[in-house]
Amino acid sequence: MSDLDTQQHPKVEIAVRNFGPITEADIDLRPLTVLVGPGNTGKTCFSTLVYALHGVFAELDMRSPEDVLRDTLQAELKNCFDLPSVSALRRLNGEKLPMEMTVALKARAEDDKGDWCLKLTAPASEWTLTREIAAGKEGISAKALLNYFSGERYYLPAIRGGLIQQHGLIASSLIGRATRGGRFSEVSTFSAGMAEFLQRLILYRPEKKMSNGDMHAIADALEADILGGKILARLSPTGYPDFRYRPQGMEEEMRLSRASAMVSELAPLVLFLRRGITPGDLLVIEEPEAHLHPHSQADMAVTLARLVRAGVKVMAMTHSDWLIEELSCLMLEGLLEGTKDKQASWLSPAEVGAWQFQKDAPVTEIPFELWGGIYPVDYGDVAETQYNRMVNLQAQVENGEGGGTCESP
């Protein structure tokens, strides 16, 4: 086995308490951060927080006064969550009273002994923000934080397939006014992530300079391995882009509304890889496995790994057992001698952070194990329950019970 040849990246940790549905979470951001767990447990809430923080620190100097950082962060949170007040994010206790909410951001550089810490607290009344630099080389950790939040941010929502089919119905001038306050006007229709996603589609121009070769190659592989065809962009007479799909071996092009749901789901990723995403950018993608066959879900894991190898920071929310198992295989490949010289889809275990979200419980890290990879514990519970139910029903049918009817869950 070889030493872990991990990409150099700063240690950036986000700690939240009573934030939306999240009771407690201390999450170490990695080149690939994977969020798993049942619905309504805070995965989208946390990823939106990361997206909002990127918007703050991509524009501000770390030496900005505390009140400027606080106000900018509050405005970005309102934009990204589409809320009139950030206080609405506070979790409620058993008596439905708001609890104190904190968002703490810590960073440490490889050659620094101290943390750069920014903490936003929302008690019952007014928001406060504190900033601390522990003993160490002042400024290095802050630069490490800026390094993580550098570049552009891209958000691919779970409903991206329907949005790309209907983007032509939404005027670009309305998208710019689709969030509350801050950079946009006071019209509330979309969250900032949704608005920026739609805006990228509406302003997409086929003649725009292409991304670098790595991104283009990843897009080509995604089309060949999963989509089985090409995603094309043309300018319509109205000036808005017209996205189409051409199956392999065919000359005919079809509108995305005529293509499969799988094609519509992955078309935005192909388009942004061709003209947009570059190394150093942040890609937040909800349910990358949506509408994909299990085999294609495994191929999607390879696509995420290729993005990491190309220098893109990826955060993915998934419910897919097959995608997670393939990520585990790619992490094992990263431990083998010679693998890194043969292909560009291996992962180092140190590059991947998998986090389990649960209702009314702290978020926990899912450890990587040599003989198990990364595997959410509740997946095994579901498999065992289904197996036991199947055996029970088979026994009933074999014994002639129930008059041939089947038991429902």
Side-chain angles (χ1 to χ4, degrees):
M1 289 188 182
S2 63
D3 294 332
L4 298 182
D5 186 18
T6 308
Q7 291 180 348
Q8 292 298 315
H9 61 280
K11 177 179 174 60
V12 177
E13 177 185 296
I14 297 179
V16 299
R17 301 291 183 271
N18 301 316
F19 185 78
I22 305 172
T23 60
E24 179 180 338
D26 296 88
I27 295 181
D28 176 16
L29 302 180
R30 313 278 175 84
L32 174 57
T33 305
V34 182
L35 311 181
V36 302
N40 199 31
T41 53
K43 301 185 298 298
T44 298
C45 186
F46 182 81
S47 65
T48 302
L49 170 62
V50 173
Y51 187 83
L53 289 170
H54 188 285
V56 172
F57 294 107
E59 298 179 4
L60 285 181
D61 190 306
M62 288 299 181
R63 293 170 295 182
S64 300
E66 272 77 0
D67 58 341
V68 174
L69 282 171
R70 181 196 62 212
D71 294 344
T72 304
L73 179 54
Q74 287 192 82
E76 192 68 20
L77 287 173
K78 286 192 292 184
N79 282 337
C80 291
F81 284 95
D82 189 24
L83 292 172
S85 170
V86 183
S87 297
L89 288 169
R90 289 183 298 180
R91 191 167 178 270
L92 303 179
N93 62 16
E95 299 177 355
K96 296 186 177 181
L97 297 175
M99 305 175 72
E100 179 174 286
M101 178 178 72
T102 60
V103 175
L105 182 61
K106 299 179 181 179
R108 173 176 293 180
E110 294 294 332
D111 55 350
D112 196 2
K113 296 181 180 179
D115 290 331
W116 188 95
C117 180
L118 183 71
K119 185 176 182 180
L120 188 68
T121 305
S125 56
E126 185 177 348
W127 279 79
T128 61
L129 184 142
T130 57
R131 175 168 44 186
E132 302 173 357
I133 300 178
K137 300 177 182 178
E138 183 173 343
I140 293 180
S141 293
K143 291 179 180 177
L145 186 74
L146 281 176
N147 181 53
Y148 184 87
F149 289 111
S150 63
E152 295 288 327
R153 59 180 183 176
Y154 289 81
Y155 194 95
L156 269 64
I159 57 173
R160 55 189 174 273
L163 291 175
I164 195 173
Q165 291 185 22
Q166 302 298 326
H167 75 280
L169 300 177
I170 306 172
S172 179
S173 60
L174 294 179
I175 295 298
R177 298 182 296 159
T179 58
R180 298 177 184 269
R183 292 171 300 152
F184 303 96
S185 65
E186 191 65 22
V187 178
S188 176
T189 303
F190 301 110
S191 66
M194 195 80 71
E196 290 176 3
F197 171 76
L198 283 166
Q199 192 170 43
R200 290 185 189 280
L201 292 177
I202 288 177
L203 299 180
Y204 194 90
R205 293 297 178 265
E207 69 276 7
K208 182 182 176 183
K209 184 179 179 181
M210 298 174 61
S211 300
N212 68 19
D214 287 340
M215 301 303 150
H216 193 75
I218 294 172
D220 286 346
L222 196 157
E223 288 176 320
D225 299 340
I226 302 180
L227 294 179
K230 302 288 291 184
I231 301 298
L232 307 170
R234 310 271 191 254
L235 277 183
S236 68
T238 62
Y240 290 105
D242 179 20
F243 302 119
R244 294 175 175 265
Y245 172 67
R246 184 174 66 210
Q248 290 175 350
M250 297 182 62
E251 296 183 1
E252 179 186 0
E253 300 174 4
M254 64 179 70
R255 294 182 181 275
L256 292 184
S257 58
R258 290 179 51 207
S260 69
M262 172 193 69
V263 173
S264 295
E265 290 293 331
L266 293 183
L269 180 56
V270 172
L271 293 167
F272 294 164
L273 286 172
R274 287 246 162 78
R275 290 175 175 82
I277 298 175
T278 59
D281 290 347
L282 170 69
L283 172 64
V284 179
I285 179 169
E286 293 186 354
E287 300 178 20
E289 74 278 5
H291 298 290
L292 298 185
H293 182 275
H295 179 79
S296 296
Q297 292 183 34
D299 286 340
M300 191 63 202
V302 175
T303 298
L304 299 182
R306 287 171 175 162
L307 287 168
V308 171
R309 294 268 60 80
V312 178
K313 296 179 285 283
V314 179
M315 175 170 288
M317 291 137 278
T318 181
H319 298 284
S320 172
D321 187 7
W322 292 284
L323 187 145
I324 291 175
E325 287 192 3
E326 182 60 25
L327 288 177
S328 298
C329 290
L330 296 173
M331 293 161 72
L332 289 170
E333 286 183 353
L335 296 174
L336 295 174
E337 292 285 356
T339 300
K340 303 176 183 63
D341 300 325
K342 296 179 181 179
Q343 42 115 352
S345 58
W346 56 270
L347 289 167
S348 160
E351 293 173 326
V352 182
W355 302 88
Q356 175 79 53
F357 284 67
Q358 302 176 72
K359 189 174 179 59
D360 299 326
V363 176
T364 56
E365 183 172 5
I366 305 173
F368 171 78
E369 298 178 354
L370 183 62
W371 292 103
I374 50 175
Y375 194 75
V377 292
D378 59 338
Y379 283 17
D381 295 339
V382 174
E384 182 178 359
T385 299
Q386 287 186 316
Y387 174 79
N388 290 337
R389 180 168 176 267
M390 176 67 73
V391 171
N392 180 51
L393 288 169
Q394 288 171 334
Q396 292 183 50
V397 172
E398 189 174 63
N399 294 330
E401 300 177 16
T405 61
C406 292
E407 178 182 319
S408 300

